[in-house]
Amino acid sequence: MAIVSKGFHGKRRGNDGRIPPGQHLTTDFPVLSAGPTPRVSTDRWEFTIVTEMGEKHRWNWQQMRALPNDKPMVDIHCVTTWSKLDTRWRGVSLDTLLDGIDTAATHVMAHGYDGYTTNLPMSEIRGGRAWLAFEFGGKPLGPEHGGPARLLVPHLYFWKSAKWVNKLTLMMRDEPGFWERNGYHDYGDPWQEQRYQGD
């Protein structure tokens, strides 16, 4: 028997159980940001992975686009209670970017060009579960949605999919990012309704 959160009754029809508790279906793609939208040209875009030993691995736009890429079709879920189904992306798997990097890190901090940060366990960005995404719906990812490239970690609440991403810092222990320091859950599983600390 399905459990339906109070206030959302009737909005789940047709989703085949794909909407987590407390969420409602949208066909829009709402724009939510912690601050102003940075405008980053692909000419100066750079992505860096910094290991726990301080080693830096860098890609410019051309190098990143030359890597093998995937076309994931995934459902996404925002902590503000909207869910969007069957979203289509193109991006480079983080498995590809991490391949050959010597690390024993347990966690990662994602950084954006706007100063935004969010923390993730390493296990959640490996195994075909996370991408550096640069297209949405067959078009280049617009700045309002994190373009030219954003993190895509669709199995967690969408604040974990950092917009305008430019760096991953690999860490030997967990540290909170921007929203996590402000009361959001460290992990953020939508199916467990892990919105806030203590959930």
Side-chain angles (χ1 to χ4, degrees), residues 124-175:
E124 300 307 313
I125 65 166
R126 292 190 161 187
R129 306 179 85 192
W131 294 267
L132 185 64
F134 52 82
E135 285 185 9
F136 175 76
K139 298 178 181 178
L141 188 62
E144 70 279 11
H145 291 302
R150 74 176 297 156
L151 200 59
L152 176 63
V153 190
H155 63 285
L156 300 178
Y157 280 125
F158 218 45
W159 89 81
K160 294 291 188 178
S161 295
K163 292 182 178 182
W164 313 294
V165 68
N166 69 343
K167 183 169 69 172
L168 297 181
T169 302
L170 310 186
M171 308 182 297
M172 294 303 295
R173 67 180 191 279
D174 195 13
E175 295 178 15

Side-chain angles (χ1 to χ4, degrees), residues 9-195:
H9 183 73
K11 293 190 177 184
R12 294 175 181 240
R13 285 175 289 187
N15 69 57
D16 300 323
R18 293 162 61 189
I19 304 294
Q23 298 289 110
H24 68 277
L25 187 63
T26 185
T27 56
D28 299 330
F29 194 167
V31 175
L32 301 167
S33 301
T37 298
R39 305 286 171 168
V40 183
S41 74
T42 54
D43 290 340
R44 66 183 182 89
W45 182 90
E46 184 178 75
F47 181 73
T48 306
I49 295 179
V50 183
T51 73
E52 67 273 26
M53 301 301 291
E55 297 171 349
K56 295 181 179 179
H57 303 262
R58 290 188 174 95
W59 296 263
N60 62 27
W61 186 255
Q62 291 75 23
Q63 290 167 333
M64 188 273 294
R65 289 299 309 267
L67 294 171
N69 56 73
D70 301 333
K71 293 182 178 179
M73 185 172 73
V74 295
D75 302 340
I76 55 176
H77 312 287
C78 183
V79 71
T80 60
T81 76
W82 60 261
S83 290
K84 187 172 177 62
L85 304 183
D86 297 326
T87 62
R88 296 174 182 271
W89 304 80
R90 181 191 290 264
V92 177
S93 170
L94 291 191
D95 293 320
T96 299
L97 294 165
L98 290 164
D99 186 39
I101 294 179
D102 186 19
T103 180
T106 59
H107 290 80
V108 60
M109 186 72 75
H111 305 258
Y113 272 97
D114 61 340
Y116 179 80
T117 56
T118 191
N119 58 317
L120 295 142
M122 283 290 287
S123 58
E124 300 307 313
I125 65 166
R126 292 190 161 187
R129 306 179 85 192
W131 294 267
L132 185 64
F134 52 82
E135 285 185 9
F136 175 76
K139 298 178 181 178
L141 188 62
E144 70 279 11
H145 291 302
R150 74 176 297 156
L151 200 59
L152 176 63
V153 190
H155 63 285
L156 300 178
Y157 280 125
F158 218 45
W159 89 81
K160 294 291 188 178
S161 295
K163 292 182 178 182
W164 313 294
V165 68
N166 69 343
K167 183 169 69 172
L168 297 181
T169 302
L170 310 186
M171 308 182 297
M172 294 303 295
R173 67 180 191 279
D174 195 13
E175 295 178 15
F178 175 81
W179 283 119
E180 296 80 15
R181 290 192 305 272
N182 286 281
Y184 278 34
H185 200 278
D186 282 326
Y187 184 70
D189 181 348
W191 293 96
Q192 300 297 319
E193 292 194 84
Q194 292 175 337
R195 292 180 170 87

